[in-house]
């Protein structure tokens, strides 16, 4: 593979960005999150909504989950920033657009976006093409998540002696359990008052029956693209793993809590799936 060919977005990151945009375009307001900048970054062509993985009906629970997890993380970051936390780390940032959509919060922080070198270089180029500057407070840090990603963050200016929020969404399923454990242990060394928010993928048998074929198809697609799903967790096991990694506390945030927060009273019945859920932990 040539260096030029390697500078491409990750297909799963593009899909997540398109689902966020589909939430805005296909679901009635109020929208849980409004993000079409990711769509412009991805530039998928005019027929992107005709893709099988963008089916408006079949993807309702999945795109609701994607929208809800993004909103939950951003609400948490805003809350912690109001308390004086000044560092925010996005592990596996993909086409995250918090810095572009919420500069009134992001500019008060030092934001570190980590991703593999090729996809991140592609994103840097797309941001420039769309006229989005990369300000001093935003650090794009190319990393190898099976390598010394922590050292790269420290070199980019992360101060481990000061509290930080670390978000790791849509990442753990692509890592081995050993890599996940090592990563969480590293994050747990951050200053007291730091927060980790991570997603985890449930085993297929824990997913709503109607969504199991969709998850199985996603897993087949991930294997075919060379990024197979390597790790699944029950909520209890993920909470235990995080506590064993050294965090002071950890709690599971189920789909039902996200429903109460963001979907109560919707006449369209839009609800997130429990296939991928959240855990919040503190040091």
């Amino acid at each position: 593979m040539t260096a030029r060919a390697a500078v491409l977005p990750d297909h799963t990151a593009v899909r997540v960005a398109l689902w966020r945009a589909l939430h805005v375009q296909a679901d009635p307001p109020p929208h849980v999150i409004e993000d079409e900048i990711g769509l412009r970054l991805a530039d998928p062509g005019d027929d992107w909504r005709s893709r099988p993985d963008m089916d408006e009906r079949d993807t309702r629970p999945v795109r609701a989950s994607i929208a809800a997890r993004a909103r939950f993380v951003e609400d948490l970051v805003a809350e912690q920033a109001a308390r004086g936390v000044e560092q925010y780390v996005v592990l596996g940032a993909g086409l995250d657009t918090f810095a572009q959509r919420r500069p009134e919060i992001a500019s008060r922080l030092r934001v570190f976006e980590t991703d593999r070198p090729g996809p991140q270089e592609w994103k840097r180029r797309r941001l420039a093409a769309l006229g989005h500057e990369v300000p001093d407070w935003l650090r794009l840090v190319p990393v190898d998540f099976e390598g010394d990603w922590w050292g790269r963050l420290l070199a980019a200016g992360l101060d481990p002696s000061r509290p930080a929020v670390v978000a790791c969404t849509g990442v753990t399923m692509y890592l081995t359990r050993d890599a996940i454990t090592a990563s969480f242990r590293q994050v747990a060394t951050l200053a007291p008052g730091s927060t980790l928010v991570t997603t985890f993928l449930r085993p297929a048998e824990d997913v709503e029956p109607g969504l199991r074929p969709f998850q199985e198809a996603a897993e087949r697609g991930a294997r075919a693209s060379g990024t197979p799903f390597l790790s699944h967790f029950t909520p209890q096991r993920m909470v235990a793993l995080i506590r064993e990694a050294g965090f002071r506390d950890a709690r599971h945030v189920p789909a039902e809590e996200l429903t109460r927060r963001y979907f109560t009273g919707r006449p369209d019945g839009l609800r997130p799936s429990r296939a991928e859920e959240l855990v919040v932990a503190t040091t």
Side-chain angles (χ1 to χ4, degrees), residues 56-229:
E56 289 185 17
R57 181 177 57 103
D58 291 347
T59 65
R60 278 168 52 86
V62 177
R63 68 176 181 266
S65 296
I66 295 297
R69 83 183 190 193
R71 172 69 179 274
F72 182 90
V73 170
E74 292 186 10
D75 285 353
L76 177 64
V77 172
E79 173 188 292
Q80 293 300 309
R83 293 179 177 176
V85 173
E86 297 177 340
Q87 301 184 110
Y88 175 37
V89 180
V90 189
L91 300 179
L95 275 69
D96 187 275
T97 59
F98 172 73
Q100 291 74 46
R101 290 181 295 102
R102 305 293 302 276
E104 76 283 0
I105 299 173
S107 62
R108 292 157 41 201
L109 304 165
R110 181 168 290 183
V111 180
F112 301 86
E113 290 191 11
T114 71
D115 210 335
R116 294 182 296 117
Q120 192 168 75
E121 177 59 25
W122 172 88
K123 183 178 181 181
R124 185 186 292 273
R125 293 180 185 181
R126 288 297 299 149
L127 286 170
L130 293 175
H132 293 289
E133 296 182 355
V134 178
D136 289 343
W137 47 263
L138 176 59
R139 312 289 172 88
L140 302 182
V141 187
V143 301
D144 173 2
F145 288 108
E146 299 284 350
D148 186 21
W149 59 272
W150 187 254
R152 298 301 300 269
L153 271 172
L154 297 180
L158 178 68
D159 184 351
S161 70
R162 299 174 66 85
V165 176
V166 179
C168 179
T169 61
V171 175
T172 60
M173 70 278 284
Y174 299 108
L175 302 178
T176 64
R177 292 198 179 203
D178 286 347
I180 295 167
T181 299
S183 297
F184 288 171
R185 284 177 177 163
Q186 195 68 75
V187 176
T189 67
L190 286 168
S194 297
T195 305
L196 168 70
V197 54
T198 185
T199 58
F200 63 94
L201 192 66
R202 284 179 179 260
E205 59 269 21
D206 282 354
V207 177
E208 299 94 324
L211 286 178
R212 288 173 191 168
F214 193 89
Q215 179 160 327
E216 290 165 357
E219 299 211 17
R220 288 193 298 271
R223 283 195 300 271
S225 66
T227 55
F229 294 169

Side-chain angles (χ1 to χ4, degrees), residues 177 180-181 184 233 236-245:
R177 292 198 179 203
I180 295 167
T181 299
F184 288 171
F233 296 90
Q236 296 80 7
R237 182 61 191 127
M238 176 54 82
V239 167
L241 185 151
I242 289 174
R243 286 177 173 160
E244 291 164 7

